[in-house]
Amino acid sequence: MAADAEPLEMILHLPLLYEDKNVPYMFVRSKRALGWACGLSRTIITSSVTIKEGSQLKQQIQSLPSLVAL
């Protein structure tokens, strides 16, 4: 989720839902940085990552929550 989302109220309910369902989440500094990380040229306020069985990225994706403090 982008920390500079405006109005911030659009995403404030999401951390509560994620914590209730034990889903890891993190904030990034800006909408532009989140868009860039997703390979887009536009700004975005949220994104999600799923793991495809057999994916070579599975271990890296699962380690993300440990790299960033929630």
Side-chain angles (χ1 to χ4, degrees):
M1 294 178 285
D4 65 345
E6 290 184 16
L8 192 56
E9 290 79 9
M10 288 190 304
I11 61 170
L12 284 180
H13 67 286
L14 294 176
L16 296 172
L17 292 173
Y18 297 151
E19 289 171 8
D20 186 47
K21 301 295 182 184
N22 200 28
V23 174
Y25 67 94
M26 69 177 95
F27 283 92
V28 295
R29 60 179 155 68
S30 71
K31 298 178 283 193
R32 183 174 309 280
L34 185 55
W36 180 83
C38 293
L40 302 173
S41 61
R42 59 182 299 158
T43 62
I44 58 174
I45 60 172
T46 63
S47 68
S48 64
V49 177
T50 60
I51 300 171
K52 181 179 178 181
E53 287 303 318
S55 171
Q56 296 175 356
L57 298 175
K58 184 175 183 177
Q59 187 175 5
Q60 291 174 309
I61 292 169
Q62 289 176 327
S63 70
L64 282 174
S66 64
L67 297 175
V68 180
L70 299 179

